[in-house]
Amino acid sequence: DAKTTQPPSMDCAEGRAANLPCNHSTISGNEYVYWYRQIHSQGPQYIIHGLKNNETNEMASLIITEDRKSSTLILPHATLRDTAVYYCIVRGAHGNTGKLIFGQGTTLQVKP
Amino acid sequence: GAVVSQHPSRVICKSGTSVKIECRSLDFQATTMFWYRQFPKQSLMLMATSNEGSKATYEQGVEKDKFLINHASLTLSTLTVTSAHPEDSSFYICSAITGHSSGNTIYFGEGSWLTVV
């Protein structure tokens, strides 16, 4: 599995955009970048994923660099409920499983 | 998004007994389900991958005879912790996916807290 590197923690002011970086310099051509978040004592929540192009949904935007070696998750207007651990995961197809291997993630603290 | 449900959400059992945790995909057929465990203030650790109708594939270091996984149908997988000990106390989380493309989203259950006393 390609590994990812994320800062251990970040702060963001409520109402401002939260930009969470992720490095995945060893990503290969058929591997997707996935983002999940985990609020304390709950299962991970899917946010967004992408392969090459930038992606946007109702929760966030995902910006992937042209060389695909890094990406940024953008929460456009962070709220206190966005406080969570955010995981950036590179996922490929290993046989027929394509399992998700979690790193340590980034703890995002949204402050009033 | 798709819904994955776990039951029970919390369970307490005595040392030496076995406990079963269920994972259900409520609105899709899960060709593959994954089981994780998570200790406090740590990340999720993948335990095993199960495909419907076949034996589970366990990650290195996970005892297959202690953590029995059954994926008998496309909507249900179970994890049985056998002869539980206090060190098995943890947060157990399942996830599920339909299809085999790496672009298909994996959805997670709410997790199950196991306390062994």
Side-chain angles (χ1 to χ4, degrees):
Chain A
D1 291 313
K3 294 183 178 180
T4 62
T5 304
Q6 299 177 252
S9 64
M10 291 182 65
D11 289 343
C12 177
E14 188 178 19
R16 304 296 293 268
N19 297 292
L20 292 89
C22 179
N23 287 322
H24 31 79
S25 57
T26 60
I27 192 170
S28 60
N30 64 348
E31 291 179 318
Y32 284 75
V33 179
Y34 278 79
W35 284 84
Y36 285 81
R37 71 181 182 184
Q38 186 179 29
I39 297 169
H40 182 62
S41 299
Q42 298 181 22
Q45 178 189 21
Y46 167 77
I47 301 174
I48 199 167
H49 74 281
L51 182 62
K52 296 180 182 179
N53 300 322
N54 298 337
E55 302 288 343
T56 296
N57 62 20
E58 65 278 5
M59 289 184 67
S61 294
L62 174 60
I63 308 299
I64 302 174
T65 59
E66 192 170 343
D67 63 8
R68 302 187 71 237
K69 293 185 177 181
S70 65
S71 61
T72 301
L73 178 74
I74 301 173
L75 306 178
H77 305 286
T79 71
L80 298 178
R81 288 183 295 180
D82 292 322
T83 293
V85 180
Y86 286 77
Y87 295 98
C88 167
I89 305 168
V90 169
R91 175 175 173 239
H94 297 268
N96 288 327
T97 61
K99 53 193 176 184
L100 290 172
I101 303 298
F102 285 76
Q104 296 306 307
T106 296
T107 298
L108 175 68
Q109 182 72 46
V110 180
K111 298 184 174 182
Chain B
V3 179
V4 176
S5 179
Q6 284 184 238
H7 178 80
S9 57
R10 291 182 179 273
V11 59
I12 299 173
C13 71
K14 294 183 177 180
S15 289
T17 63
S18 297
V19 61
K20 181 184 289 186
I21 301 171
E22 293 185 347
C23 177
R24 294 182 184 274
S25 57
L26 298 185
D27 53 359
F28 67 101
Q29 293 185 325
T31 49
T32 305
M33 288 184 169
F34 305 88
W35 285 95
Y36 295 80
R37 67 187 301 183
Q38 185 177 31
F39 293 109
K41 297 186 178 181
Q42 294 187 22
S43 187
L44 286 78
M45 184 194 80
L46 180 65
M47 299 175 67
T49 301
S50 73
N51 292 296
E52 185 265 339
S54 61
K55 290 184 178 180
T57 302
Y58 290 81
E59 296 297 307
Q60 191 172 10
V62 178
E63 299 175 61
K64 63 179 182 180
D65 294 330
K66 180 167 184 64
F67 299 100
L68 301 179
I69 292 172
N70 183 277
H71 191 166
S73 78
L74 285 172
T75 59
L76 174 64
S77 176
T78 59
L79 167 68
T80 301
V81 183
T82 62
S83 187
H85 290 101
E87 55 266 31
D88 298 324
S89 298
S90 186
F91 190 48
Y92 291 88
I93 309 165
C94 74
S95 63
I97 187 172
T98 188
H100 301 298
S101 168
S102 55
N104 289 354
T105 302
I106 296 177
Y107 293 97
F108 285 80
E110 317 95 317
S112 299
W113 283 101
L114 170 63
T115 301
V116 184
V117 297

